[in-house]
Amino acid sequence: MAYLVQPDYVKYVCSCGQMKPITNLYFCRHCLKIRCGFCICHEVDSHYCANCLENMPSSEARLKKNRCSSCFDCPSCFHTLSTRATMVQPRQDPASGDAKVENKQPKKMYYLSCFNCRWTSRDVGIPDQPVASGGWPERVNPFANRFAQLMEYYKAIAQQEKQEKLDKERKKFAIRGNYITLTDKTGLTGAMARNRAGMPSSESTSSAIANFVLSQATEEVEELPDDYHSREVNLKMITTMPQRLASPEWQAQQVSRLQPIARPLSVKRSQRCRQCDHNLTKPEYNPGSIKFKIELLAFYHVPEVKIISYETIKPGVTSALLLKLTNPTAHEMQIQLIQPNEVPEIEEKEEPKNIEKSLEKSLNLEKDMSWKSVVERKPTLPSAIKVNNPELTFTLAQRDDAAEYDDDSHHDTNDIILWRKSNKLALRLQLTADENAKVGLPAVAVVALQYTYRNTVPPTSTQPRDHTLYTTVTIDLGIVSQ
Amino acid sequence: MSHNIKILPGATVCEDCTLEGDITIGGGTVIHPRVTIIAEGGPIIIAEYCIIEEYSTIIHKKSDKQESPPKALFIGAHNVFEVGCRLESIFGHIGENNIFECRSFVGVDVRIGSGCVVGAACCLTAQQVLVDNTVIWGSEHHIREALEKQPSQLLQLDFLSKVMPNYHRLRKPNVHKRQPSRQSTEPAK
């Protein structure tokens, strides 16, 4: 809970250099590295409506423009609309008034209503529906035609450019030598190949480009009404900017032209390590479930650091810092505090080149690692505050849910270890602030942890089970004061 | 002070509420327990078929520029005061079919028409007039005009007046008239 409602006092340095709280980090068990949302690959698993929890395959979702067909949002306040039922007397006999007419069965009619701002579909004159869900009138985009034209045009252009690139490639091959291209070898011409692949032929693309009408700018615009500037504005009748932008196709200017907005779909994401392509998280397919099939969060694998208390940081003064360390894993953990610059650089191991690898390379199937240079960077860690690390390796017991019922047996408390409780311990550390630390600037201490980690992935013969891992943590200690 | 409470037949008024001053409660109205109605600046007349929920407060405040005899605060029919709302309006008339949502506050200088909705936790303090069918909602007090009045709560009223006597001690109606209606209550001031 503290992680949700409080600022992030303790941040971990991800292997890509980002600094994030432990709850926002992942831990790849195969690379044994911390990953964050910035340096992993996000994939859409499934589309679903968060209101009715209906699942939708992605092709259908694309067809429905990523919107649910049965749920609506309020165009006025964007809250979800609810369906309300009313009993309606058939309209033929207005004379009868309040008196119930026995021979006419009252009919159930449905309308949409917002419980937040009390907007109803009757407000804008949408007739009530005889069925509870669906059947609401759909408005056609006034520019649907033009939109389709544009889509076709740009598809054609994309197609053409692809073709040109292919041709260029082929030319390159031709110059280079005696290779036979695939199409030549199989006796297929380009057109036939395209036809087989179901792609539009080059003739149709060129016609789509030729037939396309560019939009024309005109100098004559419709004049504004005379009273445009003098008319009194009734703000209750005019829509607000958010209301207009919520339905960009229509952008109703009058409140009376608002339409229920089909609810946008949500997605379930699975996340993947870019380095080794293993899944980091994978949600369960059922939209109603919030559980994961795979859930490699740093919170379950990396020792957690929390601040208990600290003394105010003053330049040149040594102060105390109390930290709590927790071992979340099911194995004992040896932890040592080290200076951040003592963390060894992890060099990328060149994987042994076997036949398969070289084949992959020749086929150009090797993984594209260009993202790494873009994403990864070295974090700049503040150095004004030095943590005087104790030369001590301490052992943290494994996480044990039943431990709170036991009496603690060993109490090896000393000057540094304040207390111990099952898989947690409190440390008393000394901080020395630099004499030149500027008063008023944020005081951030940096400490690195060296910890042992037992990998529970079924080991291959080459990989050891136990690893020594490093993580760097920044601790926010308020501001440097006088 | 609390002698002048008139409860018309058909009204459901729980015993566990604070009623002070000259108050008239119309038939069909349901007043939940822990409601506070204080008529210190003049009589309060609540018409028929209102629902006043728990912890709501209606105060007719004393003011300096008071007329004498003091003007009554008339609350029209079918108003709903949801849990914890507070109404301090001193203007003589509050229309019909209004809804004061949970923990809303309507200050002294607010005049309220009919069919208005004061949204949950909305706080109206500035001098203003809510014309008919105004809806105020959200923390930013968005204002909207509804096309029609809010649907009435008659089903809920029926249910409450049936269920309330089973679980609460009620105040007995003390005015007996054959046909309690607005016309007959108004001369009471």
Side-chain angles (χ1 to χ4, degrees), chain A residues 76-77 84 111 115-120 122-124 234 236-237 243, chain B residues 82 99 101 117 131 134-135 137-138 143-148 150-151:
Chain A
S76 165
C77 68
R84 301 207 76 185
Y111 64 97
F115 287 158
N116 184 29
C117 69
R118 311 235 172 196
W119 184 90
T120 67
R122 293 169 165 186
D123 278 6
V124 291
N234 184 356
K236 284 181 195 165
M237 305 305 289
Q243 285 170 354
Chain B
E82 289 184 2
I99 301 174
E101 286 187 4
V117 179
V131 294
T134 305
V135 181
W137 53 274
I143 298 185
R144 206 174 67 75
E145 200 178 335
L147 195 73
E148 53 186 19
Q150 301 304 316

Side-chain angles (χ1 to χ4, degrees), chain B residues 4-189:
Chain B
N4 272 337
I5 293 160
K6 298 183 213 57
I7 301 174
L8 274 84
T12 312
V13 182
C14 288
E15 210 174 73
D16 187 21
C17 52
T18 315
L19 305 177
E20 281 176 22
D22 187 352
I23 299 167
T24 309
I25 297 165
T29 290
V30 172
I31 297 185
H32 288 242
R34 308 301 298 168
V35 164
T36 309
I37 301 174
I38 297 172
E40 55 178 26
I44 294 180
I45 300 163
I46 298 170
E48 304 89 31
Y49 305 112
C50 289
I51 303 178
I52 304 179
E53 291 183 357
E54 291 88 345
Y55 297 103
S56 40
T57 310
I58 298 172
I59 299 178
H60 187 2
K61 279 208 168 158
K62 243 184 222 161
S63 70
D64 305 332
K65 37 190 181 187
Q66 199 159 30
E67 306 160 32
S68 62
K71 233 167 107 190
L73 167 64
F74 184 81
I75 296 173
H78 298 282
N79 282 311
V80 179
F81 295 84
E82 289 184 2
V83 176
C85 72
R86 193 176 167 92
L87 174 74
E88 292 187 357
S89 177
I90 50 161
F91 287 101
H93 199 100
I94 284 174
E96 301 173 353
N97 281 88
N98 296 303
I99 301 174
F100 300 88
E101 286 187 4
C102 301
R103 295 198 72 86
S104 60
F105 175 83
V106 176
V108 176
D109 295 325
V110 185
R111 196 185 285 263
I112 290 174
S114 290
C116 296
V117 179
V118 182
C122 285
C123 185
L124 309 182
T125 46
Q127 186 170 358
Q128 59 191 301
V129 178
L130 299 192
V131 294
D132 289 2
N133 298 344
T134 305
V135 181
I136 298 177
W137 53 274
S139 54
E140 284 163 33
H141 295 72
H142 297 280
I143 298 185
R144 206 174 67 75
E145 200 178 335
L147 195 73
E148 53 186 19
K149 278 184 183 160
Q150 301 304 316
S152 75
Q153 299 278 345
L154 281 177
L155 278 175
Q156 171 78 352
L157 264 171
D158 272 359
F159 175 76
L160 284 174
S161 52
K162 245 179 244 163
V163 167
M164 282 291 225
N166 298 342
Y167 300 98
H168 293 283
R169 288 175 205 280
L170 299 183
R171 298 194 188 206
K172 294 219 166 53
N174 52 12
V175 180
H176 293 283
K177 275 179 190 158
R178 254 182 226 138
Q179 281 181 318
S181 67
R182 198 188 303 170
Q183 279 74 26
S184 62
T185 55
E186 252 172 349
K189 65 185 173 179

Side-chain angles (χ1 to χ4, degrees), chain A residues 122-369:
Chain A
R122 293 169 165 186
D123 278 6
V124 291
I126 299 173
D128 289 4
Q129 293 293 313
V131 285
S133 66
W136 294 99
E138 267 176 48
R139 249 169 95 184
V140 191
N141 185 351
F143 304 107
N145 226 340
R146 177 69 182 165
F147 208 82
Q149 270 179 14
L150 282 170
M151 287 280 276
E152 203 177 322
Y153 175 63
Y154 285 115
K155 259 184 198 161
I157 284 191
Q159 181 73 39
Q160 201 179 35
E161 280 175 358
K162 215 176 183 180
Q163 185 61 40
E164 273 164 18
K165 207 175 157 193
L166 260 175
D167 287 346
K168 219 188 240 169
E169 205 104 293
R170 193 183 293 164
K171 235 175 238 160
K172 230 194 295 181
F173 270 116
I175 293 160
R176 226 199 255 167
N178 308 322
Y179 293 110
I180 319 165
T181 62
L182 199 67
T183 48
D184 288 347
K185 205 162 72 181
T186 51
L188 280 169
T189 61
M192 274 169 83
R194 256 201 301 283
N195 219 351
R196 283 206 169 175
M199 288 193 286
S201 68
S202 51
E203 286 85 64
S204 80
T205 57
S206 58
S207 76
I209 293 170
N211 290 342
F212 181 71
V213 192
L214 292 169
S215 49
Q216 297 288 326
T218 68
E219 271 187 26
E220 288 134 44
V221 266
E222 228 174 283
E223 296 245 335
L224 290 172
D226 286 340
D227 59 347
Y228 188 77
H229 295 290
S230 55
R231 192 173 33 190
E232 206 170 300
V233 178
N234 184 356
L235 285 177
K236 284 181 195 165
M237 305 305 289
I238 295 173
T239 52
T240 62
M241 269 335 262
Q243 285 170 354
R244 283 180 205 190
L245 297 178
S247 51
E249 306 98 309
W250 302 293
Q251 303 187 19
Q253 295 187 8
Q254 302 281 317
V255 170
S256 56
R257 302 284 292 161
L258 287 174
Q259 291 278 324
I261 307 164
R263 198 185 161 85
L265 296 175
S266 308
V267 295
K268 285 209 164 205
R269 280 183 315 174
S270 66
Q271 286 155 321
R272 204 180 272 283
C273 175
R274 288 199 187 188
Q275 193 106 47
C276 65
D277 279 344
H278 282 97
N279 268 111
L280 293 173
T281 65
K282 192 166 183 58
E284 282 184 3
Y285 189 67
N286 174 17
S289 163
I290 54 163
K291 289 183 187 150
F292 288 88
K293 282 191 251 178
I294 302 170
E295 195 180 24
L296 297 178
L297 308 183
F299 193 67
Y300 298 137
H301 297 276
V302 177
E304 185 193 357
V305 177
K306 275 187 161 182
I307 304 171
I308 298 174
S309 68
Y310 59 89
E311 284 175 359
T312 319
I313 307 295
K314 291 172 184 167
V317 176
T318 304
S319 54
L321 165 69
L322 302 187
L323 285 185
K324 187 171 91 173
L325 298 184
T326 311
N327 172 12
T329 63
H331 304 281
E332 246 184 27
M333 199 178 251
Q334 309 280 333
I335 299 185
Q336 193 184 2
L337 295 182
I338 55 173
Q339 292 299 334
N341 50 17
E342 292 168 14
V343 175
E345 287 282 317
I346 303 158
E347 73 284 355
E348 289 307 321
K349 276 182 289 178
E350 195 67 30
E351 283 180 50
K353 264 188 191 161
N354 47 23
I355 299 167
E356 209 179 322
K357 270 277 168 213
S358 53
L359 187 73
E360 260 184 20
K361 198 162 204 170
S362 69
L363 284 173
N364 223 354
L365 289 174
E366 208 183 32
K367 221 163 14 138
D368 180 20
M369 296 300 277

Side-chain angles (χ1 to χ4, degrees), chain A residues 359-411:
Chain A
L359 187 73
E360 260 184 20
K361 198 162 204 170
S362 69
L363 284 173
N364 223 354
L365 289 174
E366 208 183 32
K367 221 163 14 138
D368 180 20
M369 296 300 277
S370 55
W371 60 271
K372 255 190 107 172
S373 55
V374 182
V375 166
E376 284 203 338
R377 62 192 169 94
K378 278 252 169 243
T380 45
L381 296 169
S383 55
I385 298 166
K386 193 170 170 293
V387 182
N388 303 333
N389 292 324
E391 289 296 315
L392 181 71
T393 305
F394 39 86
T395 310
L396 261 181
Q398 67 268 34
R399 189 173 58 89
D400 180 8
D401 291 332
E404 59 179 296
Y405 306 110
D406 300 342
D407 291 328
D408 266 334
S409 50
H410 60 293
H411 290 279

Side-chain angles (χ1 to χ4, degrees), chain A residues 415-430:
Chain A
D415 282 354
I416 295 154
I417 298 173
L418 210 62
W419 50 259
R420 251 179 202 284
K421 214 183 224 173
S422 69
N423 63 336
K424 305 178 190 80
L425 68 77
L427 285 179
R428 189 203 303 270
L429 299 176
Q430 298 297 318

